Amino acid sequence: MKLRNIIAAVALCFVAGTAFAQDEKPEYEFLPHAFLDIQGGAQYTLGEAKFKDLISPNAQLGFGYQITPWFAPRLQVNAWQSKGGWSAWKENGTEYAPKTYKYNYVAPGVDFIFDLTNAFGGFNPKRCVSVALFVGGGANIAWGNDDANAIAASIAAQQTYKGYELEYLWDGTKVRAFGRGGIEVGFRVSDAVSIMVEGNANILSDHYNSKKAENADWYFNALAGVRINLGKAYNIKEKPAPEPEPAPVVEQPKPQPKPAPKPVVEKIEPYRCDIFFKINKAVASEEELAKLDGLKTYMEKYPKAKVSIVGYADKGTGSAAYNQKISSRRSAYVKDLLINKYGIDASRISEDYKGDTVQPFAENDANRVTICIAE
């Protein structure tokens, strides 16, 4: 991945989460999920030589499970090469010339990761940078110590230089327990991928590098790579729909005295139902759709009645153009239900939409609505 693409991805994540239509402050629900770490870098093994002479390649593969926003166990395998440095080596009879030697290893283990950013700052999957500490341990399996054995053989051949021996020299394959701790910094690229930078310190017994030092042996890893989430890490919580305002009361006209009785004409009162929608939705809940049962009964009772459907969007969120589209989808959705689910003839239905140009209710959120009036 090119550097400018990484920088652009990090910059974009600062504004991610603000582009939700009609929702400026989303709330997130954490979901437990697995993840995969793939990393590579370098190792420095503590020894008696120049720093640059004790650098060797290193790689790490990890599989973890994020149980809570701040805690995750991780199985990991760290491997490749370690180096030793030994200053107690005489050359040409007088001068000391530090010797370096290399050997291979693989170190499977388990880490316990504590995400400090989520622990102290709250869960936010759109956060660009996160910091975590970890501790762990496992088994270090080392082999290929041929360089150190060759040095020892050379010393044995120099009968005049007694006392300069590798006292903990080993051959074949050796297994030793290790403990480790470290810090990792994550840079979010997307919901599924983060760039991870990690530093860790590992402690083993004094026998690891073949020299007797009367203290523990150490090696340090600097790694960089990617973390890939293997499942959905969060949900966006939907805010509950506001309580609708009561429909306006239609006052009945008072009967006027008439000199002579006239034939009684049945007066059909209009029937109104308001179908409310959640933010950025054009599909209503089952509770809202239940209101259409009453409308169906009314239309069956009065075969000549017709129903007018008008869709709306709230003015407080979204652009005017977007609100025109979503109000159209809301009215079309209700019309389709009346025709295909409730069997009302299309000729008895008229449809319109107003976007946010008309706000039938005083409360902003209540204007995510389709209003049906039958008469």
Side-chain angles (χ1 to χ4, degrees), residues 134-293:
F134 62 88
V135 294
N140 183 292
I141 305 166
W143 73 94
N145 200 26
D146 298 340
D147 288 356
N149 281 278
I151 292 173
S154 176
I155 292 172
Q158 299 180 55
Q159 299 295 324
T160 55
Y161 305 128
K162 296 291 186 179
Y164 298 101
E165 298 180 356
L166 293 171
E167 297 185 49
Y168 287 156
L169 182 65
W170 56 270
D171 197 3
T173 300
K174 297 294 181 181
V175 180
R176 301 175 182 87
F178 74 92
R180 76 173 192 162
I183 184 171
E184 65 176 31
V185 180
F187 300 90
R188 179 183 179 275
V189 177
S190 68
D191 284 350
V193 178
S194 295
I195 296 173
M196 305 303 295
V197 178
E198 176 181 321
N200 60 65
N202 302 261
I203 184 170
L204 304 95
S205 72
D206 190 26
H207 292 252
Y208 184 61
N209 63 4
S210 300
K211 298 183 303 176
K212 183 177 181 179
E214 303 295 345
N215 53 43
D217 290 333
W218 291 83
Y219 60 80
F220 306 88
N221 297 323
L223 300 161
V226 296
R227 172 165 295 169
I228 304 170
N229 290 335
L230 302 180
K232 191 174 182 181
Y234 66 93
N235 279 329
I236 298 176
K237 295 182 180 178
E238 292 189 358
K239 296 180 180 179
E243 291 294 329
E245 291 186 0
V249 178
V250 179
E251 295 185 0
Q252 302 296 326
K254 296 180 180 180
Q256 299 294 328
K258 297 180 180 179
K262 293 184 178 180
V264 177
V265 178
E266 182 183 12
K267 181 175 178 61
I268 302 176
E269 296 296 335
Y271 181 94
R272 169 173 173 162
C273 68
D274 301 338
I275 308 300
F276 293 93
F277 295 81
K278 292 184 178 181
I279 191 169
N280 197 28
K281 299 291 185 182
V283 176
S285 66
E286 293 297 327
E287 290 79 8
E288 292 297 315
L289 295 179
K291 299 176 182 178
L292 295 176
D293 292 337

Side-chain angles (χ1 to χ4, degrees), residues 19 22 45 60 85 97 133 136 227 251 263 294 301 303 306 342 366:
Q22 307 188 35
T45 312
Q60 181 168 285
L133 299 179
R227 172 165 295 169
E251 295 185 0
K301 182 178 180 181
K306 295 186 178 182
Y342 293 97

Side-chain angles (χ1 to χ4, degrees), residues 12-34:
L12 285 174
C13 76
F14 280 101
V15 297
T18 61
F20 292 91
Q22 307 188 35
D23 193 3
E24 295 180 356
K25 296 181 179 179
E27 294 183 11
Y28 301 105
E29 175 189 8
F30 169 79
L31 298 177
H33 59 279

